[in-house]
Amino acid sequence: MLMTSVASPVSLTATEGPGRPEPTAELNELYRGFERELLVPLWTEIGSLMPATPAPAAQPHAWRWQRLLALAERSGSLVPVGRGGERRAIALANPGLGGAPYATPTLWAAIQYLNPREDAPVHRHTQNAFRFVLEGEGVWTVVDGDPVAMRRGDFLLTPGWHFHGHHNQSDQPMAWLDGLDIPFAHQTDSGFFEFGPDQVEDRSSPSRSRAERLWAHPGLRPVSHSGPQPSSPIAAYRWEHTDAALDEQLALEDEGHPAVVEPGHAAVRFTNPTTGGDVMPTLRAEMHRLRGGATTRARREVGSAVWQVFDGDGSVHIGEHAYRLNRGDLFCVPSWAPLTLSADADLDLFRFSDSPIFEALHAYRTHTEGA
Ligand code: GTQ
Ligand code: FE2
């Protein structure tokens, strides 16, 4: 998607090689002509334009939660939150993407920080968003007027074009992970944005949102709201349910029933109950649990992902890169890079990816070693 990486000016050396014409003065003049007319021949570009398998500019990288949090706290004392800047959010910038605030070519991942009693103003955008809470509580995110409590382990949705603002009702600061499809919208010039009120209007602090009361009952949907919706109407997926689902998969494995992805590896995907598909049109989200001592088979897939360690310790191999993992650490996985996870003690990981984009376009592929 970063077209600048392929459309560099034609040089004579780039034109030499098998299947290429002999360099001559006339050929050189032809290439000058292409440049003057803003034309690029396929034959000098095909290797980088159409590689045999995806060759991402994005690189694997890991960010340490403790370092992110220290800088977020510092931002909390130096940088106000308000209209214009909108959010005290600090994005992961992939080292292969030229300093852009992109964790991958399609995915935004940021730590957001709110001081005690602080408000982040209401706005809406077509970019799809979610929050994942590693630690803390006390903030309510108000989505289309519905206050949604944020607590450890919860996964909260702000689908595209829903008004949303956040406010911290407590005397403690709070930090969390934001995930959005900002880079995808930016690189495809498809985003729209609008301001709402400077403060959230409904300042109540219910423990369950109206969306959850209507939609978050296992296997049940309200008959009053029939038909598919583009994004899940469940505003918050609570940790107690995610935790229980993962626990039961491992317990069923112990009892000899098929339940897990592979030995010692339980996983659940957050879904849209009106379709059974992903929570939002561009974003997939999952929670994984590895038993202590378990190692996953190397797996590649089309599209990129960002992971965050929710609990436990372990390590990850992404292609040639390897990282130790501790609570809160984040890492990104470029398209088609083989990924292997290992758990020291039990390891819980949150993961999000852009897979729904490629599935919708029939461009999705995955490969697991030895499967
Ligand atoms: O909380 O509304 O990290 O609009 C980036 C853009 C958070 C938000 C981000 C956003 C938000
Ligand atoms: Fe937003």
Side-chain angles (χ1 to χ4, degrees):
M1 272 198 195
L2 287 175
M3 297 305 291
T4 48
S5 64
V6 288
S8 51
V10 176
S11 76
L12 260 185
T13 41
T15 66
E16 286 167 10
R20 311 268 169 85
E22 285 295 310
T24 61
E26 283 149 303
L27 188 64
N28 201 18
E29 189 42 43
L30 176 65
Y31 287 144
R32 294 270 162 276
F34 290 159
E35 239 178 289
R36 273 196 306 274
E37 300 301 322
L38 298 179
L39 300 170
V40 176
L42 175 65
W43 60 85
T44 62
E45 302 294 324
I46 188 153
S48 56
L49 263 182
M50 301 167 73
T53 58
Q59 290 169 26
H61 191 75
W63 289 262
R64 303 288 161 209
W65 179 251
Q66 285 311 322
R67 298 200 186 175
L68 289 179
L69 190 59
L71 289 165
E73 279 165 3
R74 196 78 191 108
S75 306
S77 52
L78 294 175
V79 182
V81 173
R83 185 53 84 212
E86 300 297 298
R87 301 292 185 257
R88 192 187 288 110
I90 307 154
L92 310 186
N94 189 291
L97 298 178
Y102 301 167
T104 77
T106 53
L107 301 174
W108 168 277
I111 182 171
Q112 183 166 166
Y113 191 89
L114 267 189
N115 280 314
R117 307 288 158 191
E118 218 172 21
D119 262 65
V122 179
H123 66 208
R124 68 174 172 180
H125 37 75
T126 51
Q127 290 85 348
N128 295 289
F130 69 78
R131 333 275 157 207
F132 179 71
V133 184
L134 176 74
E135 58 200 11
E137 55 183 45
V139 170
W140 270 255
T141 179
V142 183
V143 180
D144 274 345
D146 187 13
V148 190
M150 297 175 65
R151 304 180 201 97
R152 171 163 164 82
D154 294 347
F155 170 66
L156 304 108
L157 301 188
T158 313
W161 215 236
H162 290 50
F163 277 111
H164 56 284
H166 323 304
H167 65 132
N168 191 345
Q169 307 247 34
S170 82
D171 295 320
Q172 299 298 318
M174 188 175 169
W176 63 87
L177 173 69
D178 290 323
L180 291 93
D181 52 12
I182 292 173
F184 173 71
H186 190 219
Q187 298 203 74
T188 55
D189 298 316
S190 56
F192 294 83
F193 183 100
E194 238 175 53
F195 293 134
D198 286 348
Q199 287 209 316
V200 302
E201 279 158 354
D202 186 340
R203 309 188 70 78
S204 64
S205 47
S207 125
R208 274 163 74 78
S209 60
R210 294 194 294 274
E212 290 167 84
R213 290 165 59 198
L214 188 58
W215 283 100
H217 307 282
L220 301 169
R221 64 179 292 186
V223 174
S224 55
H225 291 61
S226 59
Q229 299 181 21
S231 293
S232 169
I234 300 179
Y237 297 73
R238 299 296 177 189
W239 174 242
E240 58 175 304
H241 304 296
T242 311
D243 184 34
L246 293 169
D247 247 11
E248 294 287 25
Q249 284 189 18
L250 292 177
L252 286 164
E253 182 191 27
D254 282 340
E255 294 161 28
H257 298 287
V260 289
V261 179
E262 57 193 330
H265 177 188
V268 288
R269 182 170 299 166
F270 298 99
T271 59
N272 174 348
T274 74
T275 62
D278 287 293
V279 281
M280 293 183 288
T282 53
L283 298 172
R284 169 163 298 170
E286 296 172 347
M287 201 78 200
H288 291 247
R289 174 168 292 167
L290 268 68
R291 270 190 225 275
T295 293
T296 65
R297 285 184 298 206
R299 185 166 180 273
R300 315 170 177 260
E301 71 176 340
V302 166
S304 51
V306 176
W307 295 67
Q308 185 175 30
V309 177
F310 181 64
D311 219 343
D313 302 297
S315 57
V316 61
H317 284 76
I318 311 163
E320 307 295 297
H321 296 69
Y323 307 98
R324 297 261 341 125
L325 298 173
N326 301 110
R327 181 164 160 155
D329 293 347
L330 290 133
F331 57 92
C332 60
V333 186
S335 186
W336 212 239
L339 171 84
T340 309
L341 290 159
S342 298
D344 294 351
D346 283 9
L347 184 61
D348 280 356
L349 301 124
F350 171 77
R351 163 190 198 267
F352 70 105
S353 76
D354 57 9
S355 327
I357 298 174
F358 301 103
E359 285 191 351
L361 301 177
H362 304 279
Y364 183 76
R365 289 194 194 195
T366 181
H367 180 262
T368 305
E369 207 166 88

